[in-house]
């Protein structure tokens, strides 16, 4: 089984940087994913980490430490449209499905 | 390319009625997933298929829920009889082969059981 923890809510200011943390406990690990979900919409893929280190993609970066069971999503130059829920998901090495945390609701204020 | 297509988008039904949710995965994807999302429990995996065969149905809540995938381009999730606690958003998702491939979600079916 898995246990995935992330903060419930965060607030940040437009133009700032915010870091959303995710910790996980799993019996087997084969990848960590971040998804973005706007209210009333489907989750959409943001990033994927399978090796330790930082993956950068435009304003968004994701970091993974497998030994610590820890990841974070870094959002730079925040925009109002970044207000959304950010879901951390882990894939076990025994399957192809993703198990999701409950998500972090990010509010970007002017 | 068309994404994952789900129907209906919204359904309101009375307790005890049968509900059938439908999904067409992305063409060429051989994995199909059904997830359920609620405020309390977040996004939960119900069942997933590989090449139309159910691989893991351990997330299906109880016998009232059933899922089928008769061919590579169609899947159904059925609830019979429905109960108010089944009210949720039901997402279908698909992915292709390859360990790094990600999962793509449909727009969801918003179910309300009254």
């Amino acid at each position: 089984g898995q246990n995935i923890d992330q903060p419930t809510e965060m607030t940040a200011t437009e133009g700032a940087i915010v870091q959303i943390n995710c910790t996980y406990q799993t019996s087997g690990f084969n990848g960590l994913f971040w998804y973005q979900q706007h209210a009333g919409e489907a989750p959409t893929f943001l990033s994927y980490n399978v090796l330790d280190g930082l993956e950068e993609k435009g304003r968004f970066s994701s970091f993974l430490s497998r030994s610590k069971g820890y990841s974070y999503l870094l959002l730079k130059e925040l925009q109002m449209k970044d207000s959304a829920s950010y879901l951390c998901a882990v894939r076990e090495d025994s399957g192809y499905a993703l198990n999701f945390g409950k998500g972090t609701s990010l509010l970007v204020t002017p | 390319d068309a994404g994952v297509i789900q129907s209906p988008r919204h359904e309101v039904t009375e307790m005890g009625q049968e509900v059938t949710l439908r999904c067409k995965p992305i063409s060429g994807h051989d994995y199909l997933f059904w997830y359920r999302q609620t405020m309390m429990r977040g996004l939960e995996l119900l069942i997933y298929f590989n090449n139309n065969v159910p691989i893991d149905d351990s997330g299906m809540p109880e016998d009232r829920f059933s899922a089928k995938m008769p061919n590579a381009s169609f899947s159904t999730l059925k609830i019979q009889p429905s109960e108010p606690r089944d009210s949720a958003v039901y997402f279908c998702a698909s992915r292709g082969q390859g360990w790094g491939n990600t999962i793509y979600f449909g727009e969801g079916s918003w179910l309300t059981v009254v």
Side-chain angles (χ1 to χ4, degrees):
Chain A
Q2 294 181 352
N3 188 27
I4 302 171
D5 290 316
Q6 25 178 158
T8 304
E9 296 178 335
M10 297 183 72
T11 301
T13 305
E14 190 176 15
I17 299 173
V18 70
Q19 178 175 311
I20 302 174
N21 296 324
C22 172
T23 59
Y24 63 89
Q25 295 173 313
T26 181
S27 55
F29 174 86
N30 207 318
L32 187 137
F33 295 73
W34 285 94
Y35 278 75
Q36 179 190 59
Q37 186 177 25
H38 285 100
E41 298 183 8
T44 55
F45 171 75
L46 285 179
S47 69
Y48 164 63
N49 295 70
V50 66
L51 299 176
D52 290 352
L54 189 69
E55 293 283 340
E56 297 186 82
K57 189 185 292 186
R59 293 189 299 115
F60 293 5
S61 303
S62 57
F63 172 83
L64 174 66
S65 170
R66 289 173 295 172
S67 63
K68 295 182 179 178
Y70 168 69
S71 173
Y72 67 73
L73 180 69
L74 194 69
L75 291 76
K76 304 175 185 175
E77 302 169 13
L78 280 173
Q79 302 176 9
M80 299 297 288
K81 66 178 181 179
D82 297 330
S83 292
S85 181
Y86 291 85
L87 305 169
C88 173
V90 173
R91 183 173 63 202
E92 289 185 336
D93 57 10
S94 59
Y96 285 82
L98 297 182
N99 291 297
F100 285 83
K102 291 189 177 180
T104 299
S105 180
L106 174 66
L107 177 64
V108 180
T109 60
Chain B
D1 288 341
V4 177
I5 299 171
Q6 294 186 243
S7 64
R9 288 297 314 278
H10 299 272
E11 177 147 348
V12 180
T13 191
E14 292 186 345
M15 182 174 62
Q17 296 297 306
E18 178 179 291
V19 174
T20 300
L21 308 178
R22 298 173 178 81
C23 175
K24 176 180 170 55
I26 294 172
S27 178
H29 282 190
D30 45 13
Y31 287 88
L32 183 140
F33 308 84
W34 283 101
Y35 283 87
R36 176 174 68 176
Q37 188 173 40
T38 61
M39 289 291 291
M40 289 294 294
R41 301 175 68 89
L43 198 59
E44 303 174 280
L45 176 69
L46 299 177
I47 185 171
Y48 79 93
F49 296 83
N50 176 215
N51 291 322
N52 314 337
V53 176
I55 302 301
D56 182 357
D57 65 353
S58 60
M60 295 286 264
E62 49 199 273
D63 292 345
R64 296 185 298 107
F65 285 69
S66 63
K68 294 181 180 179
M69 191 165 185
N71 58 62
S73 58
F74 184 66
S75 177
T76 60
L77 178 68
K78 187 173 293 187
I79 308 172
Q80 168 63 19
S82 58
E83 297 182 2
R85 59 187 167 135
D86 302 330
S87 298
V89 185
Y90 290 82
F91 287 104
C92 178
S94 70
R95 60 159 279 172
Q97 276 289 359
W99 204 232
N101 281 354
T102 190
I103 291 175
Y104 294 90
F105 284 81
E107 293 297 311
S109 291
W110 296 67
L111 174 65
T112 302
V113 183
V114 298

